[in-house]
């Protein structure tokens, strides 16, 4: 209890007291910023959460749910907001709980804009118009992959989704922007690693970096890069039976992603 810095005699803290007792219901109405104590190894981050339950006694028990839609903010950046967040001299170095009169989301938005990442080679604007029904196919070009492409198209269509491949569009003067656009617009990106095609690896990296659902497929497990082998993939044989199995496995994975 001594670590609760919500005081009844404080202008801000007094709003959360009723008859000399902390008003749990009122505290739960506001977002919380969960901050890791500074002093551990590596970078440390704070997360936005909502308090779901508080139990007061000799000790205090706080249950909460983290809002994963809001990006973390580092402790180093929080130090620049020590006044607004009432962190004080020891605010980041020991466990405590306080309230502050500040627009948390405005503060986080300003911080996010300041450190937003902007690629130099291509634009990611298409990511703001994601098509929930679109699946992008990233695979080597060549006649030997025609039957694979046809099987992928059929399986994607079978679950009510649409598919697109890089050679299906020509919107920009640069190929890379067209490729990035179909990755950014898609809900799911299928990457065929067969043959260790460097373009496919690059495209898989872009898809992973911008948070897409990526499904890796391959004709040989040896074509999956070491850095990606911890991720599940679909292995298939390039014959009629193997492509039928690929289609079934892909449909199952797509339904799982869509929650069907």
């Amino acid at each position: 209890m001594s670590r609760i810095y919500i005081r009844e005699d404080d202008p801000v803290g007094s709003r959360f007291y009723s008859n000399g007792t902390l008003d749990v219901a009122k505290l739960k109405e506001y977002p919380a910023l969960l901050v890791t104590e500074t002093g551990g190894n590596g970078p440390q981050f704070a997360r936005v959460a909502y308090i779901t339950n508080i139990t007061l006694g000799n000790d205090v028990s706080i249950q909460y749910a983290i809002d994963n839609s809001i990006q973390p903010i580092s402790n180093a950046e929080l130090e620049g907001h020590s006044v607004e967040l009432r962190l004080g001299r020891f605010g980041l170095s020991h466990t405590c709980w306080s309230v502050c009169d500040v627009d948390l989301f405005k503060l986080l938005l300003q911080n996010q804009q300041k450190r937003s990442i902007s690629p130099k080679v291509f634009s990611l604007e298409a990511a703001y118009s994601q098509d929930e029904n679109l699946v992008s196919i990233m695979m080597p070009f060549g006649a030997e992959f025609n039957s694979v492409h046809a099987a992928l198209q059929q399986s994607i269509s079978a679950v009510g989704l649409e598919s697109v491949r890089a050679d299906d569009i020509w919107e920009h003067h640069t190929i890379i922007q067209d490729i990035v656009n179909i990755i950014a617009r898609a809900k799911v990106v299928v990457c065929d690693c067969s043959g260790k095609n460097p373009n496919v690896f690059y495209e898989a990296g872009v898809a992973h970096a911008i948070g897409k659902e990526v499904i890796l497929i391959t004709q040989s497990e040896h074509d999956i890069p070491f850095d990606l082998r911890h991720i599940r993939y679909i292995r298939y044989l390039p014959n009629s039976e193997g492509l039928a199995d690929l289609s079934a496995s892909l449909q199952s994975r797509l339904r799982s992603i869509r929650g069907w």
Side-chain angles (χ1 to χ4, degrees):
M1 289 293 290
S2 64
R3 294 299 183 106
I4 296 181
Y5 292 179
I6 308 173
R7 306 300 189 197
E8 191 172 11
D9 57 359
D10 178 81
V12 177
S14 61
R15 308 177 197 174
F16 298 92
Y17 275 84
S18 296
N19 300 320
T21 304
L22 271 175
D23 190 330
V24 171
K26 194 170 290 185
L27 283 165
K28 288 164 60 177
E29 294 176 2
Y30 292 87
L33 190 64
L34 304 180
V35 187
T36 305
E37 275 191 9
T38 296
N41 296 324
Q44 292 160 299
F45 299 88
R47 300 300 304 268
V48 174
Y50 288 89
I51 296 172
T52 57
N53 190 47
I54 304 171
T55 303
L56 300 174
N58 292 329
D59 294 318
V60 180
S61 174
I62 305 172
Q63 295 175 307
Y64 55 85
I66 290 177
D67 189 338
N68 289 311
S69 67
I70 301 176
Q71 296 297 315
I73 178 172
S74 71
N75 281 26
E77 290 170 309
L78 281 179
E79 290 178 4
H81 302 288
S82 60
V83 175
E84 305 102 296
L85 297 174
R86 304 180 73 187
L87 293 172
R89 181 179 178 185
F90 302 105
L92 288 172
S93 61
H94 74 293
T95 302
C96 61
W97 184 22
S98 63
V99 294
C100 54
D101 191 0
V102 64
D103 187 332
L104 175 63
F105 297 111
K106 181 179 178 180
L107 182 149
L108 293 176
L109 178 61
Q110 291 172 336
N111 177 76
Q112 182 68 25
Q113 289 177 327
K114 182 176 63 179
R115 63 187 176 97
S116 60
I117 298 172
S118 179
K120 306 300 183 185
V121 179
F122 49 77
S123 168
L124 285 174
E125 288 183 356
Y128 296 101
S129 58
Q130 177 174 285
D131 185 342
E132 295 295 314
N133 296 311
L134 184 63
V135 179
S136 294
I137 300 173
M138 302 291 132
M139 63 188 305
F141 294 108
E144 67 273 24
F145 284 95
N146 286 346
S147 59
V148 179
H149 183 218
L152 295 176
Q153 285 183 308
Q154 183 275 326
S155 56
I156 292 167
S157 177
V159 295
L161 303 177
E162 299 178 4
S163 64
V164 63
R165 195 170 67 163
D167 56 345
D168 294 332
I169 64 169
W170 186 353
E171 298 176 350
H172 293 84
H173 296 298
T174 58
I175 296 175
I176 184 61
Q177 188 60 63
D178 279 338
I179 291 173
V180 169
N181 277 0
I182 64 175
I183 293 173
R185 288 178 185 146
K187 169 71 173 180
V188 181
V189 180
V190 177
C191 295
D192 192 336
C193 299
S194 302
K196 298 182 178 179
N197 186 285
N199 291 327
V200 174
F201 291 163
Y202 182 90
E203 291 150 6
V206 171
H208 278 140
I210 61 177
K212 297 298 175 178
E213 291 280 3
V214 179
I215 301 176
L216 302 178
I217 67 173
T218 184
Q219 295 177 18
S220 170
E221 66 271 19
H222 300 296
D223 289 342
I224 301 292
F226 174 78
D227 288 350
L228 297 181
R229 288 183 187 171
H230 67 288
I231 301 174
R232 290 183 177 178
Y233 56 87
I234 300 173
R235 183 185 174 193
Y236 71 93
L237 297 175
N239 55 37
S240 57
E241 183 178 352
L243 294 178
D245 290 341
L246 170 63
S247 179
S249 297
L250 181 58
Q251 289 182 50
S252 175
R253 179 65 185 128
L254 289 172
R255 289 192 178 97
S256 175
I257 291 173
R258 297 303 300 274
W260 295 343

